[in-house]
């Protein structure tokens, strides 16, 4: 299920698209309050269990760069800690769009899994924590190459306390994104991939 088409390519042959997007943002900051693009997958098993999987995309649009650069810290009422403003806002947009589409949190047959890449990895962690606060049975969270999004080590521990035990943050030693922003903190269990010289 795709709620919004990706109509703004990130990489263009000219710089006019970037300048136009920055100009739009400067004149209308609420331009960021757009609908989000993600995928929602449902599966009903033979036993009646309803599996719901949410996939959050990485940086694709020009405006996503501004989302990543909105790294001032804000206190979030749901999480009860301070996190990256841009990633929090994107998680809130997805939550607003997706919650009406999910099976009710009170339905014991349902589970939710969340995964994301890069920007979507950080957003996925925040989204999963917010869903669990609302009573959804989030059973797994997986991020690949996620940037940092917690203001302090205490904030990271608070977010982790809201996550399922089955959470995994995958990083590659040759990828710089997981080290950004350098003054913030990660949360979750880490799987660190290193190059050992073999093929």
């Amino acid at each position: 299920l795709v709620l919004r088409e990706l109509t703004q390519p990130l990489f263009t042959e000219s710089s006019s698209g970037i300048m136009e997007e920055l100009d739009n943002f400067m004149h209308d900051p609420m331009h960021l309050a757009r609908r989000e693009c993600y995928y929602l997958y449902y599966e009903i098993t033979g036993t009646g269990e309803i599996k719901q999987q949410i996939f959050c995309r990485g940086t694709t649009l020009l405006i996503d760069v501004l989302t990543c650069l909105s790294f001032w810290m804000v206190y979030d009422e749901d999480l009860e800690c301070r996190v990256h403003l841009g990633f929090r806002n994107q998680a809130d947009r997805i939550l607003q769009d997706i919650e009406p589409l999910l099976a009710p949190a009170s339905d014991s047959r349902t589970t939710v899994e969340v995964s994301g890449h890069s920007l979507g990895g950080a957003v996925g962690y925040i989204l999963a924590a917010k869903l669990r606060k609302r009573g959804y049975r989030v059973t797994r969270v997986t991020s690949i190459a996620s940037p940092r999004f917690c203001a302090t080590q205490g904030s990271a521990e608070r977010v982790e306390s809201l996550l399922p035990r089955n959470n995994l943050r995958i990083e590659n030693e040759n990828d710089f994104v997981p080290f950004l922003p350098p003054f913030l903190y990660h949360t979750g269990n880490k799987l660190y991939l290193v190059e050992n010289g073999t093929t």
Side-chain angles (χ1 to χ4, degrees):
L1 172 66
V2 182
L3 286 192
R4 185 172 58 86
E5 293 297 326
L6 301 181
T7 56
Q8 289 178 296
L10 175 59
F11 303 105
T12 60
E13 294 183 4
S14 71
S15 61
S16 61
I18 295 173
M19 298 311 296
E20 181 179 341
E21 190 60 40
L22 288 174
D23 187 57
N24 288 341
F25 176 71
M26 296 304 292
H27 287 93
D28 181 15
M30 287 309 294
H31 180 63
L32 285 176
R34 66 201 185 284
R35 292 181 69 95
E36 191 43 59
C37 177
Y38 56 85
Y39 299 90
L40 176 61
Y41 171 78
Y42 288 84
E43 178 184 351
I44 302 178
T45 68
T47 60
E49 182 184 5
I50 302 171
K51 294 182 178 181
Q52 303 166 108
Q53 296 175 320
I54 303 168
F55 302 90
C56 304
R57 64 168 176 80
T59 302
T60 306
L61 307 177
L62 292 171
I63 202 71
D64 295 333
V65 176
L66 294 177
T67 296
C68 294
L69 293 176
S70 300
F71 50 70
W72 48 93
M73 299 296 103
V74 293
Y75 182 82
D76 185 84
E77 296 289 340
D78 289 335
L79 305 178
E80 300 176 356
C81 65
R82 293 171 58 236
V83 294
H84 185 290
L85 172 68
F87 301 152
R88 191 282 308 266
N89 286 353
Q90 188 135 329
D92 282 347
R93 283 192 291 271
I94 294 177
L95 184 62
Q96 182 180 7
D97 278 348
I98 211 167
E99 196 167 12
L101 304 176
L102 294 173
S106 58
D107 189 336
S108 62
R109 301 172 303 157
T110 66
T111 59
V112 179
E113 298 177 9
V114 182
S115 61
H117 168 252
S118 192
L119 177 153
V123 170
Y125 264 92
I126 295 170
L127 177 63
K130 286 175 172 276
L131 286 170
R132 287 198 85 197
K133 281 281 287 193
R134 286 165 169 73
Y136 290 93
R137 194 154 63 99
V138 180
T139 57
R140 179 182 300 160
V141 184
T142 307
S143 75
I144 301 172
S146 167
R148 302 173 181 187
F149 64 91
C150 297
T152 63
Q153 185 61 45
S155 292
E157 291 169 2
R158 172 59 186 162
V159 172
E160 186 158 8
S161 73
L162 297 172
L163 297 173
R165 293 184 66 179
N166 189 358
N167 69 79
L168 184 63
R169 174 170 46 93
I170 303 171
E171 297 180 5
N172 183 315
E173 69 171 344
N174 297 318
D175 187 359
F176 65 89
V177 171
F179 297 98
L180 300 175
F183 49 86
L184 298 184
Y185 293 82
H186 275 302
T187 190
N189 304 314
K190 180 169 78 170
L191 173 63
Y192 195 60
L193 304 178
V194 297
E195 186 175 349
N196 63 9
T198 62
T199 55

